[in-house]
Structures are given as C-alpha cells and as structure tokens.
C-alpha cells in the first residue's frame, strides 16, 4: 500500500510511450481473431489505445453485440486474470469497493477476550479503559479484516488484471461517483486505513446498454466507443468462426434473415450470440435448406417476446421467399401460446356463413388474441342469421314482410292469461 502520488510530466510521457501487449492495431485484430473474436479496425484501434494510454474504455451499444465478450477475450489474449463487477439497481459501494468482515472481527474479539481483559484490568476508571481499547482500534480495522470487492481487488492485485464493470447503466448514479476515483487515478481511498494505489494498472472496460445516460464526469475519464451490430460480412465471419455446423451457404442466408428481423420494430432485436445459437439449432436439426416453415418453428431461439414472435412470423415468409406460406403450428391465438384451439375462438359458428353475417373473429391488430366484439354484435343484428329458425328462410335469406305472421293484442293477452281469474 502506498499514498497517491501526482505523476510528473516526464512520468506521464513515459506512461504514454510504454509498450503494451500489442505492437500494432493489426496485431490486436489477429490476436483477438485467434481467440474467436472478430474485431474491425475501429474496435481494434480503440483496444490498442486502451493498452497504451492506460485509460478505461467505455463501450456503449445494444445488448448482444460483443461488449462483454471483448473483455473476456482481451483477458485471454493478454494472459491477465478477469475481474468482473456486475452492476444492478440498488447496488451500493460495499458490493463494488470493499466491506469489513464483521464476522471475522467478532471471532477475533471472542478469542482475544482474555487479552483485552488483561489490557484494562489495572485501569483506574472507565474512561481510561475505553482509551486503552480505543488505542488498539487499528488492529481490528486493518487489511486483515478488509474484504475486497472487484474494484479494490483490481487495484490491490500484484498481478495485472482486466477489470470488467458490466452494464454500468443499470446501477444507480451514486455508484458512478464511487467509480470516479478508480477510473481517474487508479486508486481507492479507505478512510480507516488510507489510500491504495495500483502498482499494476488494470485494463478497465465498462459496458452500457444505453438504458440511461451516464454522467459526463464518468465519460470524461474514459475512451469511448459505440459498438453497434456488425455488417453482414463481419457477422457471417463471426458465425463461421464459431464452427456451428451449419454450411457456409445456409449461414449466409441465416445472417440475412436475422438482419431482416432487426429491421422490424421489435422490443428486443436478435443479438449476435442468438444468431450463433440459431445456426447451431438448425445444424442440430440437420437442416439442409432454409425455408419459412423451419425458421418459424425455431424462431423463438432469437425472438424472446410474444409480440415480437408474431411480427417475426409475419415477416419470415417475405425474408426467405415471397411466395412461401407459413402453415399453422398449433399456436393458439396465432402466435405461439399453444392452447390447443383455434386462434379465432369461434367454436360454435354456423355451418353456413354468408357475407351478410360475418362471424366473430380475432382482431389481427391485437397481439393478445382478443375477440372483436364489434363484429360479433354486427353478426347478431343480421336478419335471418339463424337460417330457417325463428322466422328465417332456409339458406339464411330474410323473409319478406308479408310472410311474417302478425300477433294481435288479444292473442298476447290470452297467451299470458291476462283475463284469467284465479279460482276462489
């Protein structure tokens, strides 16, 4: 442990000129490729600067584009240990920096009870006893009882590490303030002990899925790169590098289908890792030709929300073959609930249906399969909708007004016994 020291201009220049694990951007590309990570020139350049400038790297972009994977592969490529801080809502500094091992402190207190008693046995009064115990506080608030969390562990590590601060946008803003000292000076202050300064500066990567804006102070301390979905050629190269078992031709077709799905207004677009999973799924099934039917049967591998599934099922025939038709798969409501009944819920519809009597239907605009009540009410208002029953003619044709037998008021009175007297 050592106190923080402000670097001189010469030291800063030496730090910039210091050599890292990579001699060039091309070497970064090649080394990461050997680990199965396909990086373009822009990403490789940023990684090269990360290793030369000793500055943290903030990677922003949609989920599943390889941000976390980059940190893992960088650790493997450089032979460094990976330390990961997974951020979440409500996280406080004790889970990120350090905390005191109170259980261990209590155990030592119990073991040393006799020694503590000897320390205060000849104290003339209570105040003197408290002073004697207080003078020994540093024994119980020392590194022996300090439980380091990922940030402090990365700073204290004697061996160089890669520190991944994953999904920092999920954490509260208070944690960002805690990170500033670590990201800016590569040090952490512990009030009871002092300041820990990194002897081996870690490679720090922060990832964000852009669920909220990060503080300008945090961004100012980092190199920044927005990592988006790759081009078609690069994504195809990634899929091929994973040895999914799918032929190159089918892999190319699949990548184009996935890119088409990403153009839809989905709640969550398919990630690169999900494209790889889909390729492996099709390979396991022994698919030798892509068609809308097999893709519809397996689309849940890449589309994970119910409304997205319906949009994907509607789009797949067009993405594969404009002339292909996807048949029903027993998905209740038409989008994969699998309730085992028709999507239109019309179990008791008449045998004959005419244009004047539209049957109740499922409104295709509603993803939850609700029955269109307006169509059902309109059907009930049609004359002769019951065929030859209740005044209708066979074939559902409404009878002419002259054919409807009129009921006189007297007949109604007699029918309901309006003039009948009760027996006395």
């Amino acid at each position: 442990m050592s106190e923080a020291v402000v670097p001189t201009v010469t030291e800063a220049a030496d730090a910039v000129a210091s050599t890292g694990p990579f001699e060039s951007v091309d070497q970064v590309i090649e080394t990461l490729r050997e680990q199965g990570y396909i990086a373009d020139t822009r990403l490789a350049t940023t990684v090269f600067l990360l290793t030369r400038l000793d500055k943290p790297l903030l990677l922003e972009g949609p989920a599943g584009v390889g941000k976390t994977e980059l940190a893992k592969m960088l650790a493997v490529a450089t032979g460094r240990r990976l330390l990961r801080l997974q951020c979440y809502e409500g996280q406080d500094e004790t889970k990120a920096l350090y905390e005191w091992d109170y259980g261990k402190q209590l155990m030592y207190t119990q073991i040393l009870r006799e020694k503590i008693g000897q320390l205060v046995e000849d104290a003339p009064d209570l105040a003197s006893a408290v002073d004697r115990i207080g003078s020994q506080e540093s024994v119980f608030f020392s590194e022996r009882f300090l439980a380091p969390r990922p940030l402090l562990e990365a700073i204290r590590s004697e061996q160089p590490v890669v520190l991944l601060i994953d999904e920092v946008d999920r954490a509260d803003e208070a944690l960002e303030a805690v990170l500033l000292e670590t990201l800016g000076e590569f040090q952490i202050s512990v009030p009871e002990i002092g300041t820990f300064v990194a002897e081996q500066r870690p490679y720090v990567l922060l990832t964000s899925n852009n669920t909220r804006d990060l503080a300008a102070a945090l961004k100012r301390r980092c190199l920044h790169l927005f990592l988006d979905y790759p081009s078609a050629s690069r994504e195809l190269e990634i899929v091929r590098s994973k040895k999914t078992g799918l032929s190159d031709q089918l892999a190319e077709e699949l990548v184009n289908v996935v890119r088409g799905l990403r153009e839809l207004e989905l709640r969550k677009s398919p990630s690169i890792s999900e494209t790889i999973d889909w390729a492996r799924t099709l390979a396991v099934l022994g698919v030798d030709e892509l068609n809308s039917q097999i893709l519809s049967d397996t689309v849940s591998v890449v589309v994970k929300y119910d409304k997205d599934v319906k949009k994907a099922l509607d789009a797949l025939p067009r993405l594969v073959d404009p002339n292909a038709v996807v048949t029903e798969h027993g998905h209740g409501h038409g989008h994969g609930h699998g309730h085992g009944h028709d999507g239109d819920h019309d179990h008791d519809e008449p045998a004959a249906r005419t244009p004047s009597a539209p049957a109740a239907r499922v409104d295709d605009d509603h993803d939850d399969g609700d029955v269109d009540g307006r169509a059902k009410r309109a059907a009930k208002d049609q004359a002769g909708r019951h065929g030859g029953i209740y005044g209708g003619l066979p074939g559902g044709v409404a009878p002419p007004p002259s054919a409807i037998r009129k009921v006189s008021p007297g007949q109604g009175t007699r029918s309901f016994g309006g003039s009948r007297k009760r027996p006395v």
Side-chain angles (χ1 to χ4, degrees), residues 49-110:
L49 294 176
L50 160 69
T51 61
R52 288 300 183 96
L53 300 179
D54 283 336
K55 288 181 68 68
L57 169 59
L58 172 60
L59 293 169
E60 293 189 282
V65 294
K67 302 187 296 294
T68 301
E69 190 70 13
L70 175 62
K72 295 178 181 179
M73 293 302 99
L74 180 61
V76 175
T78 57
R80 295 189 171 209
R81 182 164 63 104
L82 177 68
L83 295 176
R84 180 173 180 171
L85 173 63
Q86 183 64 51
C87 299
Y88 55 88
E89 186 177 356
Q91 188 177 32
D92 58 18
E93 65 273 12
T94 61
K95 302 300 182 184
L97 293 172
Y98 65 89
E99 60 182 337
W100 293 105
D101 192 340
Y102 295 113
K104 191 175 181 180
Q105 289 173 328
L106 181 60
M107 182 184 70
Y108 271 65
T109 302
Q110 296 295 329

Side-chain angles (χ1 to χ4, degrees), residues 103-294:
K104 191 175 181 180
Q105 289 173 328
L106 181 60
M107 182 184 70
Y108 271 65
T109 302
Q110 296 295 329
I111 295 174
L112 301 174
R113 180 183 300 176
E114 181 179 348
K115 196 61 157 179
I116 295 174
Q118 295 175 2
L119 181 66
V120 299
E121 64 181 356
D122 60 342
D125 51 37
L126 182 60
S128 299
V130 171
D131 289 339
R132 291 185 181 182
I133 294 176
S135 64
Q136 305 297 323
E137 273 185 354
S138 58
V139 175
F140 290 94
F141 286 95
S142 62
E143 293 187 45
R144 182 189 302 273
F145 301 100
L146 192 64
R149 297 309 177 203
L151 295 184
L152 182 57
E153 188 175 354
I155 295 298
R156 293 178 61 193
S157 177
E158 296 180 358
Q159 301 297 325
V161 300
V162 173
L163 174 61
L164 169 62
I165 304 175
D166 208 12
E167 297 184 331
V168 66
D169 54 321
R170 292 184 178 273
D172 298 333
E173 294 181 3
L175 184 62
E176 291 185 40
V178 172
L179 292 173
L180 296 182
E181 181 184 14
T182 305
L183 301 179
E185 289 80 28
F186 289 95
Q187 67 180 37
I188 292 177
S189 298
V190 181
E192 296 86 350
I193 298 178
T195 301
F196 292 93
V197 180
E199 296 182 2
Q200 297 284 347
R201 290 196 170 190
Y203 294 154
V204 182
L205 290 90
L206 301 90
T207 71
S208 168
N209 294 335
N210 285 333
T211 58
R212 68 173 179 86
D213 291 333
L214 300 177
L218 185 143
K219 288 191 172 185
R220 188 171 62 248
R221 288 165 170 79
C222 302
L223 298 172
H224 181 269
L225 179 66
F226 186 88
L227 200 59
D228 206 347
Y229 294 111
S231 63
S233 58
R234 181 166 163 248
E235 186 166 9
L236 177 58
E237 188 177 0
I238 293 172
V239 173
R240 288 173 175 170
S241 69
K242 298 302 180 181
K243 297 179 173 58
T244 61
L246 201 64
S247 67
D248 289 348
Q249 179 181 352
L250 295 185
E252 183 176 1
E253 294 177 14
L254 184 65
V255 166
N256 291 331
V257 170
V258 172
R259 293 178 65 82
L261 292 177
R262 289 184 187 138
E263 294 177 358
L264 304 177
E265 294 183 0
L266 302 180
R267 179 176 176 182
K268 179 190 174 301
S269 296
S271 66
I272 301 175
S273 61
E274 287 168 334
T275 304
I276 297 170
D277 290 341
W278 206 1
R280 287 173 175 159
T281 298
L282 296 174
V284 168
L285 294 175
V287 174
D288 54 9
E289 180 183 1
L290 290 192
N291 55 63
S292 58
Q293 186 70 54
I294 189 61

